[in-house]
Amino acid sequence: MDIVFAISEIEELVKTGGLADVGKALPLALKSLGENITIVMPYYKTLKEQLDLPEYGENHTLFTEGRVYHFQIKHLQWHGIPIYFIDAPDFFMRDGLYSDAFDAFEDNGERFSFFSGAVLHALKALAIKPHIIHCHDWHTAMLPFLLTNDKTGYFFGTKTVFTIHNAAFQGVHKLDAIPFLRHHADIGSQVHGGYINMLQSGIEFANKITTVSPNYARELLTDLGSHGLHERLVRRKDDLSGILNGCDYTQWNPQTDSFLPENYSVDNLHAKQSCKIALQHKSGLPENTDVPLIGMVCRLTDQKGFGYILPILDDLIAHNVQMVIVGTGDPKVCMDLGEFAQQHPSQFAFINGFSSEHAHLVEAGADFFLMPSQFEPCGLNQMYSLAYGTIPIVRSVGGLKDTVLDSTSSEHRTGFVFDEPSPSALLSCIRRALLAYYEDRGAFRAMQIRGMNTRFTWEAAAENYRTLYQNMMS
């Protein structure tokens, strides 16, 4: 099949979050299955600085009522996959992808509505007529609407898949701020109180809707889990499916990880202790392999569960435990964590920043990895943790519920899971994990090995997507 990915970022080229990981891994996995993949994405300033690609073909023009949009197409052959970049300097020649250092760009609605239209125009200009156009998140959510209302007939037979990576980000903009759409003959049905919700439009017009884990697909059918879009999603529930993201085990493998002081494996788990000592040293904590060490690497936001973490820190360090948190984000959370680290330097470390080295060292050196998220569409760190023999402590939401098994029988457990969104429930779960650490080191080691033998591959995800595509075309 001929499949086009319309996406706003790709890991290795440009990245702000987990969307880019999917943007790299899923097309490569589909290509390995023999599918014909093409990618279209914006030509950001950072890409021009890295690649400085020549023009590909002629200049292009899009017309809407009262405005003309000029752009060029750039081309890159990337791991055997052609990527076509939409080069529109007025929209994409900026220091950030979606925001500057402080705020989101006010014209994001216009920028990415134009991008969606430019993708369709580019495909016509390049004589690419795909079986499937796979759109990702609100940045490309208007594409199914524009394709449905395309009057040329060029895309007759082309189907659209729309993947929701995080329903919290919906692309809500005033129609008056989107000249590209403002005069579209069919836009009226998408306007509510003068605003367009782009994610909602993607849900309404795509042929099929997917999200990044089976449990998150179920949560999207609820008011809380969908961030208010559940009525639309319930109407499309027969077209909604959850396909679990994979993990890139070439980057996250303790046997080959170049960031680690000593590599280790299921057969040589003792070497993990060297990583623990290195993490303690780098974080300024006393070097002691016998004390349980809890690690956390994330954005410092409410979504990641700091409303549950901060109230229990005093109770937590009453135990014989160490904790390392690495991340940036909410200034108030940063301040609270920094003050707590100053007050308890022998048990608690906070690193306000991010580096790949520290992230890999936390995954390898910690005994437990903490992810008490309010919501987590898929999550990757729990997969990394399992691969590194670091036991996840997670809340039972989204992909965390799909990937971490907390069985009543310790013979099947790979981590510790709590349900109730409260500080006390988190504290009880951590205490249960610490008890397992101290009570039976043999059983704890078996749990580590069980996690290290667990795999969530992009090959499996690609097989599921290919089945979805084939069913759509049959």
Side-chain angles (χ1 to χ4, degrees):
M1 280 181 292
D2 295 322
I3 301 160
V4 168
F5 271 67
I7 197 163
S8 62
E9 54 186 87
I10 296 176
E11 198 270 329
E12 195 178 291
L13 296 176
V14 61
K15 175 178 178 177
T16 66
L19 173 62
D21 296 296
V22 180
K24 175 186 176 181
L26 184 55
L28 290 175
L30 285 164
K31 180 179 181 296
S32 72
L33 294 178
E35 304 301 336
N36 185 28
I37 307 297
T38 302
I39 298 173
V40 188
M41 67 179 294
Y43 194 53
Y44 300 108
K45 180 182 178 182
T46 183
L47 289 170
K48 180 175 175 58
E49 291 170 347
Q50 290 175 50
L51 304 171
D52 195 20
L53 299 171
E55 294 180 25
Y56 186 81
E58 60 188 16
N59 294 335
H60 298 272
T61 304
L62 274 176
F63 299 94
T64 63
E65 187 174 336
R67 186 159 182 183
V68 179
Y69 299 80
H70 301 285
F71 69 97
Q72 296 175 344
I73 299 173
K74 309 285 188 176
H75 173 254
L76 174 70
Q77 199 69 17
W78 176 80
H79 297 288
I81 294 175
I83 300 182
Y84 296 99
F85 298 96
I86 303 300
D87 182 16
D90 288 347
F91 289 145
F92 302 124
M93 203 54 56
R94 306 178 186 187
D95 288 335
L97 272 61
Y98 318 119
S99 64
D100 58 22
F102 303 101
D103 297 298
F105 295 127
E106 290 186 359
D107 62 344
N108 273 344
E110 171 76 344
R111 294 172 73 222
F112 288 100
S113 294
F114 158 77
F115 173 65
S116 293
V119 171
L120 296 178
H121 180 96
L123 294 178
K124 294 176 187 176
L126 296 165
I128 298 172
K129 187 174 182 180
H131 297 100
I132 303 288
I133 302 178
H134 193 154
C135 308
H136 296 265
D137 262 355
W138 69 266
H139 321 96
T140 56
M142 297 311 297
L143 194 153
F145 164 81
L146 294 171
L147 186 146
T148 300
N149 291 286
D150 182 80
K151 310 301 185 188
T152 67
Y154 182 84
F155 293 105
F156 180 79
T158 296
K159 306 293 186 181
T160 54
V161 175
F162 179 55
T163 295
I164 301 170
H165 295 264
N166 191 333
F169 302 104
Q170 300 183 0
V172 179
H173 301 278
K174 280 188 174 181
L175 179 61
D176 285 348
I178 311 177
F180 187 80
L181 295 177
R182 192 166 57 211
H183 300 290
H184 194 288
D186 300 291
I187 199 63
S189 65
Q190 301 307 296
V191 183
H192 306 277
Y195 286 82
I196 289 179
N197 183 318
M198 294 183 169
L199 197 75
Q200 181 173 295
S201 294
I203 291 166
E204 181 171 343
F205 284 93
N207 295 105
K208 293 291 181 181
I209 307 155
T210 70
T211 191
V212 291
S213 70
N215 190 56
Y216 192 56
R218 292 188 287 272
E219 291 174 357
L220 286 177
L221 299 177
T222 69
D223 186 16
L224 183 63
S226 69
H227 302 270
L229 292 179
H230 65 291
E231 291 184 359
R232 300 274 177 160
L233 286 158
V234 167
R235 285 201 288 269
R236 297 295 312 276
K237 66 180 181 180
D238 291 340
D239 295 314
L240 171 66
S241 58
I243 297 175
L244 187 68
N245 280 349
C247 174
D248 185 349
Y249 294 105
T250 63
Q251 291 190 38
W252 295 91
N253 182 349
Q255 296 184 67
T256 58
D257 193 330
S258 61
F259 290 112
L260 307 187
E262 187 174 355
N263 294 113
Y264 62 94
S265 67
V266 168
D267 299 320
N268 179 30
L269 197 51
H270 179 74
K272 182 174 166 66
Q273 297 302 312
S274 299
C275 301
K276 184 172 184 176
I277 292 171
L279 175 60
Q280 290 168 326
H281 177 77
K282 188 174 179 68
S283 305
L285 295 171
E287 296 173 19
N288 181 351
T289 59
D290 290 327
V291 63
L293 175 56
I294 300 172
M296 188 174 186
V297 181
C298 67
R299 287 175 290 108
L300 307 181
T301 64
D302 283 343
Q303 179 199 335
K304 299 302 180 179
F306 284 96
Y308 314 138
I309 295 170
L310 293 171
I312 67 166
L313 287 179
D314 285 318
D315 291 319
L316 180 57
I317 64 157
H319 299 279
N320 182 28
V321 66
Q322 292 178 342
M323 190 168 185
V324 177
I325 296 180
V326 178
T328 61
D330 187 324
K332 176 64 165 62
V333 175
C334 290
M335 183 180 69
D336 289 344
L337 293 175
E339 289 178 355
F340 196 82
Q342 290 179 345
Q343 295 165 5
H344 305 279
S346 65
Q347 285 186 271
F348 189 90
F350 170 56
I351 292 83
N352 186 0
F354 176 83
S355 72
S356 294
E357 178 186 4
H358 221 139
H360 282 248
L361 195 55
V362 169
E363 288 291 6
D367 298 294
F368 299 97
F369 194 94
L370 187 60
M371 292 184 73
S373 305
Q374 285 187 356
F375 62 96
E376 196 68 58
C378 179
L380 289 171
N381 278 103
Q382 82 279 13
M383 298 183 189
Y384 305 155
S385 300
L386 291 167
Y388 280 65
T390 300
I391 305 302
I393 300 173
V394 306
R395 199 162 88 80
S396 180
V397 291
L400 302 179
K401 185 173 183 178
D402 288 318
T403 52
V404 180
L405 180 61
D406 189 356
S407 171
T408 53
S409 168
S410 62
E411 295 178 1
H412 302 289
R413 182 181 295 137
T414 60
F416 294 89
V417 182
F418 70 102
D419 293 314
E420 182 184 324
S422 71
S424 60
L426 170 59
L427 182 60
S428 294
C429 188
I430 294 175
R431 284 172 170 163
R432 191 159 55 89
L434 294 176
L435 182 62
Y437 178 91
Y438 281 117
E439 196 172 52
D440 189 338
R441 290 296 180 91
F444 188 82
R445 176 66 63 89
M447 189 180 354
Q448 291 177 299
I449 292 172
R450 199 176 301 122
M452 294 177 77
N453 287 327
T454 302
R455 285 290 181 268
F456 304 98
T457 68
W458 278 111
E459 289 74 19
E463 288 281 7
N464 287 327
Y465 273 108
R466 181 164 71 168
T467 299
L468 175 69
Y469 300 152
Q470 289 172 338
N471 289 342
M472 292 172 68
M473 300 308 299
S474 61

